[in-house]
Amino acid sequence: DGGITQSPKYLFRKEGQNVTLSCEQNLNHDAMYWYRQDPGQGLRLIYYSQIVNDFQKGDIAEGYSVSREKKESFPLTVTSAQKNPTAFYLCATKGPRVSSGNTIYFGEGSWLTVV
Amino acid sequence: AQKVTQAQTEISVVEKEDVTLDCVYETRDTTYYLFWYKQPPSGELVFLIRRNSFDEQNEISGRYSWNFQKSTSSFNFTITASQVVDSAVYFCALSEASGGSNYKLTFGKGTLLTVNP
């Protein structure tokens, strides 16, 4: 089964805890992204990685951290410094520009709720 | 800076009606891509279409059609003979293609389409 796999689908976090959301892909895409979705605000970019061992901050990186040790994996850690972490988190990948024209494909998302 | 505006927050139609979702964009780049995504209640964003800035030809795919007009910076999406399964949030998005910013997809805030039986 190919594509982008996010886990867990639902996650509850106590205040002050760090949590890590998993994102795995078998599309052989170089670029990977994390977006956050809040009601009525569309999607906002948290972090992105264009290649293994490299990543860049997006528009709302504060309180989040990532790693890109393998091409297939781009986990997102929501730290206790993130003041309002309750949201829907979407992982995405992008294929080569020549063949896919910057099309970004998304996983099924993870719901994070702070309790 | 790039920006995407979807002025319609919510639209409600009765099944079999045609419906058009509006999208207006802003960019200083001459080369860019425009996208539409569908987000059903399950949450996953489903890619529908990509257009590049050099191709203004309208496109039809089954009941879906897209009208790209550079003169008005619009990329509207029409669903013909809507069905209940079309109920979802639809996002328009823009990606600039030059320089170091070709990674970034800027989204509109989405339009919630409800198709009633």
Side-chain angles (χ1 to χ4, degrees):
Chain A
D1 200 18
I4 304 165
T5 302
Q6 289 187 238
S7 63
K9 179 71 173 177
Y10 300 95
L11 183 62
F12 295 89
R13 187 195 94 172
K14 292 182 179 179
E15 286 194 28
Q17 284 184 339
N18 294 352
V19 293
T20 297
L21 306 180
S22 169
C23 179
E24 302 281 331
Q25 57 110 349
N26 61 5
L27 301 171
N28 200 34
H29 287 171
D30 285 316
M32 296 187 73
Y33 308 81
W34 275 104
Y35 282 86
R36 168 178 171 145
Q37 185 177 17
D38 295 279
Q41 293 197 46
L43 280 75
R44 294 180 290 169
L45 182 64
I46 305 173
Y47 267 99
Y48 67 99
S49 168
Q50 293 184 289
I51 199 168
V52 175
N53 292 322
D54 180 68
F55 50 83
Q56 304 293 330
K57 292 182 179 179
D59 299 320
I60 56 165
E62 185 175 352
Y64 299 98
S65 66
V66 294
S67 63
R68 188 81 186 279
E69 298 176 0
K70 299 186 300 181
K71 188 175 186 178
E72 303 79 22
S73 179
F74 191 41
L76 173 74
T77 297
V78 184
T79 75
S80 57
Q82 170 49 237
K83 298 305 178 187
N84 185 23
T86 295
F88 187 52
Y89 292 87
L90 285 154
C91 177
T93 71
K94 181 170 76 72
R97 177 175 163 183
V98 171
S99 59
S100 69
N102 282 7
T103 299
I104 293 183
Y105 299 95
F106 288 84
E108 294 185 350
S110 293
W111 292 93
L112 173 62
T113 302
V114 173
V115 296
Chain B
Q2 48 189 355
K3 183 179 178 182
V4 176
T5 301
Q6 294 180 255
Q8 304 150 309
T9 304
E10 296 186 34
I11 300 176
S12 182
V13 300
V14 177
E15 206 169 17
K16 297 185 182 178
E17 285 185 16
D18 298 347
V19 57
T20 295
L21 310 181
D22 297 333
C23 174
V24 174
Y25 62 91
E26 296 176 26
T27 177
R28 287 177 287 190
D29 210 340
T30 56
T31 305
Y32 51 89
Y33 296 93
L34 293 162
F35 304 82
W36 276 96
Y37 288 87
K38 174 182 180 180
Q39 187 177 41
S42 60
E44 180 180 3
L45 261 71
V46 178
F47 165 72
L48 296 178
I49 189 172
R50 176 189 76 243
R51 304 296 289 173
N52 74 53
S53 51
F54 295 112
D55 183 2
E56 288 192 70
Q57 215 172 18
N58 291 331
E59 184 160 336
I60 298 175
S61 176
R63 296 184 297 106
Y64 295 171
S65 62
W66 290 270
N67 182 1
F68 176 30
Q69 294 193 340
K70 286 181 78 171
S71 60
T72 56
S73 297
S74 66
F75 185 44
N76 296 338
F77 173 30
T78 297
I79 301 175
T80 303
S82 60
Q83 300 176 1
V84 173
V85 294
D86 296 326
S87 297
V89 180
Y90 290 87
F91 289 96
C92 180
L94 165 71
S95 172
E96 292 175 345
S98 64
S101 65
N102 64 0
Y103 64 88
K104 188 173 178 179
L105 203 63
T106 297
F107 284 85
K109 293 188 177 183
T111 298
L112 172 61
L113 173 64
T114 302
V115 181
N116 298 298

